[in-house]
PDB file of all heavy atoms in Angstrom:
ATOM      1  N   SER C 143     -24.915  21.517   9.784  1.00 95.00           N
ATOM      2  CA  SER C 143     -25.144  21.599   8.360  1.00 95.00           C
ATOM      3  C   SER C 143     -26.612  21.870   8.070  1.00 95.00           C
ATOM      4  O   SER C 143     -27.415  22.155   8.957  1.00 95.00           O
ATOM      5  CB  SER C 143     -24.655  20.291   7.693  1.00 95.00           C
ATOM      6  OG  SER C 143     -25.551  19.237   8.075  1.00 95.00           O
ATOM      7  N   GLY C 144     -27.027  21.660   6.829  1.00 93.00           N
ATOM      8  CA  GLY C 144     -28.403  21.882   6.429  1.00 93.00           C
ATOM      9  C   GLY C 144     -29.306  20.836   7.015  1.00 93.00           C
ATOM     10  O   GLY C 144     -30.497  21.072   7.281  1.00 93.00           O
ATOM     11  N   GLY C 145     -28.825  19.618   7.202  1.00 93.00           N
ATOM     12  CA  GLY C 145     -29.665  18.479   7.630  1.00 93.00           C
ATOM     13  C   GLY C 145     -29.291  17.972   8.989  1.00 93.00           C
ATOM     14  O   GLY C 145     -30.044  17.171   9.573  1.00 93.00           O
ATOM     15  N   HIS C 146     -28.162  18.323   9.552  1.00 96.00           N
ATOM     16  CA  HIS C 146     -27.721  17.779  10.840  1.00 96.00           C
ATOM     17  C   HIS C 146     -27.183  18.797  11.808  1.00 96.00           C
ATOM     18  O   HIS C 146     -26.636  19.878  11.330  1.00 96.00           O
ATOM     19  CB  HIS C 146     -26.615  16.729  10.600  1.00 96.00           C
ATOM     20  CG  HIS C 146     -27.104  15.519   9.855  1.00 96.00           C
ATOM     21  ND1 HIS C 146     -27.259  15.531   8.493  1.00 96.00           N
ATOM     22  CD2 HIS C 146     -27.528  14.284  10.291  1.00 96.00           C
ATOM     23  CE1 HIS C 146     -27.754  14.380   8.107  1.00 96.00           C
ATOM     24  NE2 HIS C 146     -27.908  13.632   9.146  1.00 96.00           N
ATOM     25  N   THR C 147     -27.331  18.553  13.099  1.00 98.00           N
ATOM     26  CA  THR C 147     -26.709  19.375  14.103  1.00 98.00           C
ATOM     27  C   THR C 147     -26.233  18.408  15.201  1.00 98.00           C
ATOM     28  O   THR C 147     -27.043  17.822  15.892  1.00 98.00           O
ATOM     29  CB  THR C 147     -27.781  20.386  14.711  1.00 98.00           C
ATOM     30  OG1 THR C 147     -28.344  21.097  13.584  1.00 98.00           O
ATOM     31  CG2 THR C 147     -27.199  21.368  15.660  1.00 98.00           C
ATOM     32  N   LEU C 148     -24.924  18.250  15.305  1.00 98.00           N
ATOM     33  CA  LEU C 148     -24.346  17.206  16.174  1.00 98.00           C
ATOM     34  C   LEU C 148     -23.252  17.836  17.042  1.00 98.00           C
ATOM     35  O   LEU C 148     -22.463  18.636  16.597  1.00 98.00           O
ATOM     36  CB  LEU C 148     -23.712  16.133  15.345  1.00 98.00           C
ATOM     37  CG  LEU C 148     -24.532  15.456  14.227  1.00 98.00           C
ATOM     38  CD1 LEU C 148     -23.672  14.534  13.422  1.00 98.00           C
ATOM     39  CD2 LEU C 148     -25.714  14.658  14.852  1.00 98.00           C
ATOM     40  N   ILE C 149     -23.209  17.328  18.265  1.00 98.00           N
ATOM     41  CA  ILE C 149     -21.995  17.534  19.070  1.00 98.00           C
ATOM     42  C   ILE C 149     -21.283  16.216  19.169  1.00 98.00           C
ATOM     43  O   ILE C 149     -21.830  15.210  19.626  1.00 98.00           O
ATOM     44  CB  ILE C 149     -22.329  18.105  20.508  1.00 98.00           C
ATOM     45  CG1 ILE C 149     -22.907  19.472  20.296  1.00 98.00           C
ATOM     46  CG2 ILE C 149     -21.103  18.119  21.383  1.00 98.00           C
ATOM     47  CD1 ILE C 149     -23.231  20.245  21.572  1.00 98.00           C
ATOM     48  N   VAL C 150     -20.094  16.171  18.633  1.00 98.00           N
ATOM     49  CA  VAL C 150     -19.385  14.881  18.451  1.00 98.00           C
ATOM     50  C   VAL C 150     -18.089  14.878  19.286  1.00 98.00           C
ATOM     51  O   VAL C 150     -17.334  15.828  19.268  1.00 98.00           O
ATOM     52  CB  VAL C 150     -18.974  14.712  16.939  1.00 98.00           C
ATOM     53  CG1 VAL C 150     -18.396  13.330  16.700  1.00 98.00           C
ATOM     54  CG2 VAL C 150     -20.201  14.925  16.085  1.00 98.00           C
ATOM     55  N   LEU C 151     -17.938  13.767  20.009  1.00 98.00           N
ATOM     56  CA  LEU C 151     -16.677  13.521  20.689  1.00 98.00           C
ATOM     57  C   LEU C 151     -15.748  12.790  19.718  1.00 98.00           C
ATOM     58  O   LEU C 151     -16.108  11.676  19.266  1.00 98.00           O
ATOM     59  CB  LEU C 151     -16.922  12.678  21.956  1.00 98.00           C
ATOM     60  CG  LEU C 151     -15.679  12.064  22.638  1.00 98.00           C
ATOM     61  CD1 LEU C 151     -14.698  13.138  23.040  1.00 98.00           C
ATOM     62  CD2 LEU C 151     -16.124  11.285  23.906  1.00 98.00           C
ATOM     63  N   VAL C 152     -14.616  13.373  19.323  1.00 98.00           N
ATOM     64  CA  VAL C 152     -13.778  12.814  18.282  1.00 98.00           C
ATOM     65  C   VAL C 152     -12.508  12.250  18.995  1.00 98.00           C
ATOM     66  O   VAL C 152     -11.709  12.989  19.519  1.00 98.00           O
ATOM     67  CB  VAL C 152     -13.366  13.872  17.265  1.00 98.00           C
ATOM     68  CG1 VAL C 152     -12.606  13.249  16.075  1.00 98.00           C
ATOM     69  CG2 VAL C 152     -14.560  14.683  16.765  1.00 98.00           C
ATOM     70  N   ARG C 153     -12.453  10.909  19.055  1.00 98.00           N
ATOM     71  CA  ARG C 153     -11.327  10.301  19.773  1.00 98.00           C
ATOM     72  C   ARG C 153     -10.163  10.086  18.823  1.00 98.00           C
ATOM     73  O   ARG C 153      -9.007  10.071  19.258  1.00 98.00           O
ATOM     74  CB  ARG C 153     -11.770   8.961  20.374  1.00 98.00           C
ATOM     75  CG  ARG C 153     -12.848   9.061  21.436  1.00 98.00           C
ATOM     76  CD  ARG C 153     -12.984   7.723  22.207  1.00 98.00           C
ATOM     77  NE  ARG C 153     -14.114   7.852  23.136  1.00 98.00           N
ATOM     78  CZ  ARG C 153     -15.377   7.558  22.791  1.00 98.00           C
ATOM     79  NH1 ARG C 153     -15.667   7.094  21.596  1.00 98.00           N
ATOM     80  NH2 ARG C 153     -16.358   7.652  23.695  1.00 98.00           N
ATOM     81  N   SER C 154     -10.449   9.791  17.590  1.00 98.00           N
ATOM     82  CA  SER C 154      -9.433   9.596  16.572  1.00 98.00           C
ATOM     83  C   SER C 154     -10.160   9.822  15.221  1.00 98.00           C
ATOM     84  O   SER C 154     -11.405   9.929  15.199  1.00 98.00           O
ATOM     85  CB  SER C 154      -8.837   8.154  16.659  1.00 98.00           C
ATOM     86  OG  SER C 154      -9.758   7.220  16.195  1.00 98.00           O
TER      87      SER C 154
END
Side-chain angles (χ1 to χ4, degrees):
S143 70
H146 294 82
T147 306
L148 308 170
I149 293 184
V150 185
L151 167 57
V152 189
R153 296 194 187 88
S154 72

